[in-house]
């Protein structure tokens, strides 16, 4: 399904039954709704599941200019999209940058959110002290008109390749290549800007909140306890052996953690 909000077309999907509280999955920086595709059939067996590609990502509109690629704009887009396609309040998961987006949504419109999962994300800075300056410099110097995104090796990459099917990987490559380079720069700059942090407002979030992270996803997992304690009604779940994308490398554990959250949030 394609929904027009704030002057862009957002590509999304809906699976599962027509009735029931919706589970909404919000992807991260340079990702897409495809990042959750392997788990949607299982999760949608008992509840409606909604996904969407942020502007500049996946199959959504690429504007080809920097203005509009900010976290605040993604928050506004997501709110408008929820109002157009969902039946709030919803159970809402945000992964990485998506976590910062859903934090913004929940703070701005708590009426839209029944419960929250903050997955491998942070309400403060995304980078560790030793690399944050390097990362900020990279995004500041990146020229979206001419530069290519770096393809950095990681321990998680080999795990993802080993634990996901070839057809999923092929589609993932297409989705990754589709990211607007202007989104890469604009959102990259914004994510590492202290002005986008919401650490001091966690106490305003009163809905049931699970902070979910891979045990090896440093520095984000190091923020998990503080975030869980910072919200009014929080809990922390760590998936042992996982890095930044446990839905891909530890799918069974991640799906169970999500089901456990939904049970806890409705108790």
């Amino acid at each position: 399904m394609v929904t027009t909000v704030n002057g862009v077309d957002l590509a999304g999907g809906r699976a599962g039954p027509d009735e029931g509280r919706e589970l909404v999955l919000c992807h991260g920086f340079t990702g897409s709704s495809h990042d959750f595709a392997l788990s949607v059939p299982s999760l949608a067996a008992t509840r409606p599941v909604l996904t969407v590609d942020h502007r500049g990502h996946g199959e959504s509109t690429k504007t080809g200019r920097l203005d509009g690629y900010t976290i605040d704009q993604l928050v506004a887009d997501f709110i408008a999209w929820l109002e157009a396609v969902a039946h709030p309040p919803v159970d809402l998961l945000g992964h990485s940058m998506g976590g910062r987006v859903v934090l913004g949504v929940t703070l701005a419109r708590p009426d839209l959110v029944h419960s929250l999962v903050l997955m491998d994300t942070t309400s403060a800075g995304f980078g560790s002290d030793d690399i944050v300056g390097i990362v900020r410099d990279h995004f500041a110097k990146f020229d979206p008109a001419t530069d290519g995104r770096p393809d950095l090796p990681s321990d998680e990459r080999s795990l993802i390749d080993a634990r996901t099917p070839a057809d999923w990987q092929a589609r993932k490559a297409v989705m990754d290549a589709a990211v607007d380079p202007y989104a890469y720069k604009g959102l990259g700059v914004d994510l590492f800007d202290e002005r986008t942090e919401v650490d001091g407002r966690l106490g305003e979030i009163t809905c049931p909140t699970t902070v979910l992270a891979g045990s090896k996803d440093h520095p984000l997992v190091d923020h998990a306890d503080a975030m869980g304690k910072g919200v009014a009604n929080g809990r922390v779940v760590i998936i042992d052996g996982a890095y930044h994308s446990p839905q891909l490398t530890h799918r069974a554990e991640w799906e169970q953690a999500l089901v456990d959250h939904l049970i806890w949030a409705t108790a």
Side-chain angles (χ1 to χ4, degrees):
M1 61 182 180
V2 176
T3 307
T4 301
V5 301
N6 299 326
V8 297
D9 291 337
L10 300 184
R14 182 184 184 95
D18 293 332
E19 302 297 323
R21 192 183 307 279
E22 294 148 323
L23 170 63
V24 182
L25 307 175
C26 179
H27 72 80
F29 181 57
T30 72
S32 73
S33 56
H34 181 67
D35 294 345
F36 301 109
L38 296 174
S39 290
V40 166
S42 174
L43 295 172
T46 55
R47 63 185 59 80
V49 177
L50 278 66
T51 57
V52 66
D53 297 338
H54 297 299
R55 65 168 64 203
H57 294 71
E59 297 182 326
S60 292
T61 297
K62 285 78 178 174
T63 64
R65 58 180 188 270
L66 280 175
D67 61 296
Y69 284 130
T70 65
I71 300 302
D72 285 346
Q73 184 61 64
L74 297 192
V75 169
D77 288 350
F78 210 87
I79 289 172
W81 178 80
L82 281 175
E83 291 179 323
V85 307
H87 302 85
V90 302
D91 294 309
L92 182 56
L93 177 146
H95 177 212
S96 193
M97 180 189 74
R100 186 63 61 79
V101 172
V102 302
L103 280 166
V105 170
T106 307
L107 289 167
R109 291 290 305 276
D111 58 300
L112 299 178
V113 184
H114 172 256
S115 77
L116 193 59
V117 178
L118 300 174
M119 173 189 165
D120 291 275
T121 190
T122 179
S123 54
F126 271 88
S128 58
D129 291 341
D130 59 333
I131 68 163
V132 67
I134 296 171
V135 175
R136 285 176 177 166
D137 188 58
H138 163 72
F139 284 117
K141 292 180 177 178
F142 182 83
D143 184 348
T146 59
D147 293 344
R149 285 165 45 203
D151 184 17
L152 302 176
S154 70
D155 293 329
E156 184 180 48
R157 176 74 62 83
S158 61
L159 272 180
I160 291 173
D161 289 346
R163 298 182 181 182
T164 55
D167 59 343
W168 181 90
Q169 294 176 32
R171 180 64 176 166
K172 172 67 172 170
V174 172
M175 292 295 97
D176 286 354
V179 175
D180 190 341
Y182 289 86
Y184 177 77
K185 180 180 176 70
L187 293 170
V189 168
D190 221 25
L191 280 174
F192 287 87
D193 189 329
E194 293 176 355
R195 293 174 299 176
T196 67
E197 297 178 9
V198 294
D199 214 36
R201 299 188 62 191
L202 287 179
E204 300 174 36
I205 296 176
T206 60
C207 66
T209 301
T210 294
V211 180
L212 177 63
S215 67
K216 297 184 177 182
D217 190 19
H218 300 287
L220 298 181
V221 66
D222 305 316
H223 300 191
D225 283 342
M227 291 174 65
K229 293 173 182 175
V231 296
N233 184 14
R235 60 199 284 269
V236 177
V237 176
I238 305 300
I239 298 180
D240 189 48
Y243 292 86
H244 192 59
S245 302
Q247 84 277 22
L248 301 177
T249 61
H250 294 69
R251 197 187 325 164
E253 296 95 323
W254 179 80
E255 290 178 5
Q256 187 60 56
L258 196 45
V259 169
D260 290 346
H261 164 82
L262 295 171
I263 293 171
W264 169 70
T266 56

